Amino acid sequence: MKVKIENLVKRFSDNTAVDNFSCEIESGELIALLGPSGCGKSTMLNMLSGILMPTEGKIYFDDDDVTYLAPEKRGVGLVFQNYALYPHMTVLENICFPLEIQKVPKEERIARAKKMAELVHVETMLDRRPGQLSGGQQQRVAIARALVKTPRLLLLDEPLSNLDARLRIEMREEIRRIQQETGVTTIFVTHDQEEAMSISDHIVLMKKAVLQQYAAPQELYDEPMNSFVADFLGNPPINKTFGVMNRGKIVLDGGCEVAYPKAVDLDDGHRVILSMRAEAIVVEGPSEAMAEGVIEQTYVMGKEVLAFVKLGDFSVRAYIPAELQLTKGQTVKLSLKNKGVFVFDEETGERLK
Amino acid sequence: MEKFKANFKLSMVFVYILLIFGAIIMIFPFFWMITGAFKTTLEINLFPPVWIPSSFNLDNFKYALQAAPFARYFINSLIAMVGSVSVCTFTTILAAFAFSKLKFPGREVIFTLLLALMMVPFEMLVITNYQTVISWKIYDTVWALIIPFTSSIFYTYILKGFFDSVSDSLYYSARIDGCSNWKYLWRVLVPMAKPSLVTIILLNAISRWNSFLWPMIATINVSNRTLPFGLYAFVNEGGAKTELMLAASTITVLPMIILFLFARKNIVNGVARGGIKG
Ligand SMILES: Nc1ncnc2c1ncn2[C@@H]1O[C@H](COP(=O)(O)OP(=O)(O)OP(=O)(O)O)[C@@H](O)[C@H]1O
Ligand SMILES: [Mg+2]
């Protein structure tokens, strides 16, 4: 099912949790709703599920306006961060519950619940209660319960945040598998960029109630629309430097000149942010040098060496080939690749180049 | 270390002596009542006292049941207790749900006012309840024993405390699954609150069973009396023999003792958890 969100606004008495949010989600996609804590992700999800009513704007499921529709009429499945399983019911009873409410005959609902339990691999623990399950198993039961009524839209609110690092990776692949097997349009909330990058078809990146960018993971990484997006994605974090334009060159604070060709036509005196991914910086490469820096520190990491290079006031991470044998204090020539280097307006954070 | 151990042991001995002493004080009246109920007139008046009655026949019980309509009292007590406790539990559940989970204007104010009512002593309510009972024309009927006790702010408060502790995400999950408030209450909240509910029901049942003042005021006909008042009247009016009084007392408290033995864990847990007074 397609989801269309138009100019959605949610205001609580004193603050705006979601501001003028618009996007269209294609049918059958797995969407990650990504952003730092408190940016309005849960609020967004709750408006889609019908728990919260928007202040302004519209939500469409396919062509139906569901903005003010009651939650039970929307046909959504929701998995909460704490799973919200009914503690007094067994796993089977939990999964059956939505069907029981819909008055599905007993035999049919047990059959459907068992099929769901198989899909999420909890078929061997149908008689246990939630208290007797591990976090990962509880999560899968919660997903089965959300899926059993064949929702048109599956919503997951930080379903992995209670799990340990290994289980998280396992479970996110599990979610991807279940989503692909059922083909249900899915939106899942996370504040972990790696999680979002690894399994989603598209990412909705939010900051302080505002949609920053809606794109495929790779596009988000390669073509961030503003400096927030560039900062948010990537590991190690992107190198962020500040400077001012002077005769086609970027003069970083502290006096280092960077002759980045793409930035030549920017006006003199324009304050900019130059953001460079570590892998986009070439040290002592064959191409023409764009800046000079001083090696501050090197760390050998297997076949590569991670170096901190001083550029003006800033210390940037770059990878250098091990055979170069560079040492601390040495001056090196740097060039920048086309991909992974961005120039933003310092004031607005908007992408310039 | 050795010394510490010795000290520790000594203090434990002391504690146990105290506990045993306390237990004897608590148990002795029951022991005296139950054994006394089997004694003959001679045995009960002997000094030094006879500890174990010579025979365990049920004559005293028979006589006591003949001397006053205890069977009738028993049934009245039972009807009054079951009637008021079941309705009260129902209203308590509904009220606790409303005050805990439903949003309506003035919710906090209303609840605070209701809580404040708990400070009015029961003895004062007796007067207004009496007038109500008279004007409703249910004076000296079983309804007078049931209707004034069909709601309880105190138990509502306890249950609301439990409902408050249930995460809202459970509620929203259920709503999204198509569950109405009503179904959510009975299918999810109430089963989850079972331990709290059992405690509330037990405490309520015990206090209904033992209630004395109100049945005395609200009934006049002998056939409408409940056990505690009936027992009191039996003792006062009849100038009855001690062993018959003890037999009657045993009949009165026996159901509560049985109830307590079965539900001991629930009562203790509930009291410990909720800080409920008796
Ligand atoms: N019921 C409410 N009343 C008032 N403000 C609220 C309410 N719910 C959320 N907010 C505010 O709205 C903003 C967004 O909250 P939201 O729960 O959507 O954040 P989130 O992105 O889910 O954060 P997290 O990752 O920590 O879960 C926050 O500033 C929060 O304080
Ligand atoms: Mg949240």
Side-chain angles (χ1 to χ4, degrees):
Chain A
M1 182 195 64
K2 247 171 64 176
V3 178
K4 194 161 111 197
I5 301 167
E6 271 182 14
N7 306 93
L8 205 62
V9 177
K10 177 68 191 180
R11 260 181 238 114
F12 294 110
S13 50
D14 51 342
N15 66 341
T16 308
V18 171
D19 199 4
N20 205 11
F21 189 109
S22 302
C23 84
E24 260 181 67
I25 292 165
E26 290 305 320
S27 184
E29 288 209 332
L30 178 59
I31 303 294
L33 190 51
L34 179 66
S37 185
C39 70
K41 303 182 297 288
S42 298
T43 308
M44 194 62 226
L45 215 60
N46 290 343
M47 284 192 286
L48 287 173
S49 66
I51 292 172
L52 277 179
M53 289 297 149
T55 316
E56 285 166 28
K58 293 253 175 279
I59 301 171
Y60 298 93
F61 287 178
D62 284 334
D63 294 323
D64 313 329
D65 180 353
V66 297
T67 316
Y68 299 106
L69 201 64
E72 62 270 21
K73 299 205 179 98
R74 294 195 182 193
V76 300
L78 179 60
V79 176
F80 280 93
Q81 183 168 345
N82 61 5
Y83 312 139
L85 296 174
Y86 307 118
H88 60 291
M89 298 185 195
T90 63
V91 167
L92 184 66
E93 285 166 344
N94 261 289
I95 303 177
C96 279
F97 189 72
L99 300 178
E100 194 185 319
I101 297 294
Q102 290 177 1
K103 303 210 167 66
V104 174
K106 191 164 180 187
E107 264 139 56
E108 185 190 335
R109 68 177 184 243
I110 288 179
R112 276 170 69 179
K114 283 191 170 156
K115 227 170 103 195
M116 266 308 139
E118 268 165 41
L119 179 75
V120 299
H121 301 321
V122 294
E123 68 275 16
T124 55
M125 39 198 105
L126 290 177
D127 294 328
R128 289 204 222 161
R129 284 177 207 285
Q132 300 163 312
L133 300 178
S134 74
Q137 292 162 344
Q138 287 185 30
Q139 185 208 15
R140 280 178 280 171
V141 174
I143 293 178
R145 187 181 64 181
L147 281 175
V148 75
K149 54 184 180 182
T150 50
R152 303 191 287 169
L153 176 64
L154 179 63
L155 305 169
L156 307 151
D157 194 352
E158 300 197 34
L160 305 174
S161 56
N162 292 339
L163 309 179
D164 67 49
R166 256 191 73 168
L167 201 53
R168 276 171 94 122
I169 294 177
E170 228 170 83
M171 286 312 302
R172 74 185 187 207
E173 272 143 27
E174 198 88 318
I175 290 179
R176 182 60 169 163
R177 175 184 67 81
I178 294 166
Q179 193 268 336
Q180 282 182 338
E181 270 177 46
T182 55
V184 60
T185 312
T186 302
I187 301 178
F188 87 103
V189 167
T190 174
H191 51 241
D192 180 346
Q193 48 126 345
E194 207 189 312
E195 209 167 278
M197 297 287 282
S198 61
I199 63 169
S200 57
D201 296 313
H202 281 98
I203 294 178
V204 173
L205 185 56
M206 287 178 78
K207 174 197 167 192
K208 290 204 188 122
V210 180
L211 172 69
Q212 301 295 312
Q213 192 168 356
Y214 173 48
Q218 200 56 46
E219 190 190 340
L220 215 58
Y221 187 81
D222 292 339
E223 301 294 340
M225 301 224 302
N226 59 42
S227 74
F228 173 80
V229 178
D231 292 344
F232 202 82
L233 299 173
N235 194 10
I238 198 161
N239 297 301
K240 193 176 184 186
T241 61
F242 297 83
V244 63
M245 292 306 302
N246 188 12
R247 274 177 284 148
K249 288 182 179 174
I250 304 168
V251 183
L252 299 183
D253 298 348
C256 173
E257 281 195 2
V258 182
Y260 185 51
K262 279 196 182 172
V264 284
D265 53 350
L266 291 176
D267 298 341
D268 279 9
H270 197 153
R271 294 226 25 115
V272 296
I273 303 171
L274 175 66
S275 292
M276 303 157 278
R277 300 216 182 273
E279 68 267 21
I281 301 175
V282 185
V283 180
E284 295 286 338
S287 52
E288 195 181 336
M290 296 180 191
E292 278 189 354
V294 179
I295 304 265
E296 275 191 319
Q297 195 61 266
T298 55
Y299 299 94
V300 181
M301 301 169 73
K303 62 183 195 313
E304 277 183 320
V305 175
L306 175 68
F308 282 88
V309 183
K310 187 101 178 156
L311 289 181
D313 287 346
F314 307 96
S315 171
V316 303
R317 289 187 191 80
Y319 293 108
I320 53 181
E323 61 274 13
L324 273 182
Q325 304 274 344
L326 295 173
T327 51
K328 244 162 95 171
Q330 214 170 323
T331 303
V332 289
K333 291 188 176 7
L334 305 176
S335 60
L336 301 174
K337 291 184 187 165
N338 268 337
K339 218 174 152 187
V341 178
F342 317 105
V343 182
F344 303 106
D345 186 289
E346 184 180 305
E347 216 171 293
T348 62
E350 289 302 313
R351 174 100 177 260
L352 298 172
K353 297 288 165 183
Chain B
M1 193 63 212
E2 282 300 306
K3 204 174 157 207
F4 173 78
K5 249 186 189 163
N7 262 340
F8 182 71
K9 263 187 194 153
L10 207 69
S11 69
M12 285 310 283
V13 169
F14 188 67
V15 165
Y16 272 98
I17 288 175
L18 265 184
L19 284 177
I20 290 169
F21 188 67
I24 290 174
I25 290 181
M26 295 298 287
I27 290 171
F28 182 74
F30 285 98
F31 173 79
W32 190 248
M33 177 183 76
I34 292 169
T35 54
F38 290 99
K39 288 175 186 168
T40 63
T41 315
L42 182 68
E43 278 172 332
I44 206 141
N45 289 321
L46 270 184
F47 192 86
V50 177
W51 292 110
I52 305 295
S54 52
S55 78
F56 281 94
N57 61 46
L58 298 174
D59 288 350
N60 287 338
F61 293 94
K62 232 186 289 166
Y63 293 136
L65 287 175
Q66 278 162 10
F70 277 109
R72 181 75 234 169
Y73 299 166
F74 188 92
I75 290 171
N76 288 340
S77 270
L78 202 66
I79 294 174
M81 178 180 88
V82 172
S84 60
V85 170
S86 51
V87 178
C88 183
T89 306
F90 185 69
T91 57
T92 297
I93 289 172
L94 294 187
F97 179 68
F99 284 119
S100 172
K101 298 291 176 197
L102 300 184
K103 297 194 174 63
F104 53 90
R107 186 176 79 166
E108 302 308 319
V109 177
I110 295 172
F111 192 67
T112 312
L113 284 178
L114 286 177
L115 272 186
L117 277 182
M118 269 170 62
M119 290 199 281
V120 181
F122 177 71
E123 286 73 9
M124 237 164 97
L125 296 181
V126 162
I127 300 167
T128 49
N129 278 349
Y130 183 76
Q131 286 176 334
T132 311
V133 160
I134 296 282
S135 69
W136 284 16
K137 300 195 169 50
I138 53 173
Y139 176 73
D140 200 26
T141 66
V142 70
W143 297 110
L145 301 180
I146 294 177
I147 290 173
F149 304 98
T150 48
S151 71
S152 160
I153 297 153
F154 180 63
Y155 297 134
T156 303
Y157 175 70
I158 301 286
L159 195 61
K160 175 185 181 294
F162 177 82
F163 285 176
D164 283 346
S165 74
V166 175
S167 158
D168 276 346
S169 58
L170 233 54
Y171 176 64
Y172 290 127
S173 263
R175 283 302 305 275
I176 288 167
D177 289 344
C179 204
S180 61
N181 278 332
W182 183 252
K183 264 191 196 148
Y184 173 70
L185 173 61
W186 296 105
R187 289 286 285 114
V188 179
L189 270 189
V190 168
M192 280 175 67
K194 218 159 116 200
S196 293
L197 271 174
V198 170
T199 307
I200 287 173
I201 290 172
L202 284 172
L203 289 177
N204 199 0
I206 292 171
S207 76
R208 283 304 87 230
W209 188 263
N210 291 339
S211 82
F212 174 74
L213 180 65
W214 178 251
M216 183 172 82
I217 291 168
T219 60
I220 188 153
N221 210 315
V222 174
S223 67
N224 286 329
R225 287 175 181 169
T226 57
L227 270 177
F229 179 49
L231 182 67
Y232 171 82
F234 176 64
V235 171
N236 270 351
E237 291 162 6
K241 293 187 208 158
T242 316
E243 70 276 15
L244 296 189
M245 278 160 49
L246 293 179
S249 309
T250 307
I251 296 172
T252 308
V253 298
L254 204 60
M256 287 302 109
I257 292 180
I258 293 171
L259 195 65
F260 182 77
L261 287 181
F262 274 107
R264 199 181 60 211
K265 231 166 108 190
N266 277 312
I267 296 179
V268 173
N269 281 349
V271 172
R273 189 178 39 227
I276 303 175
K277 61 180 165 63

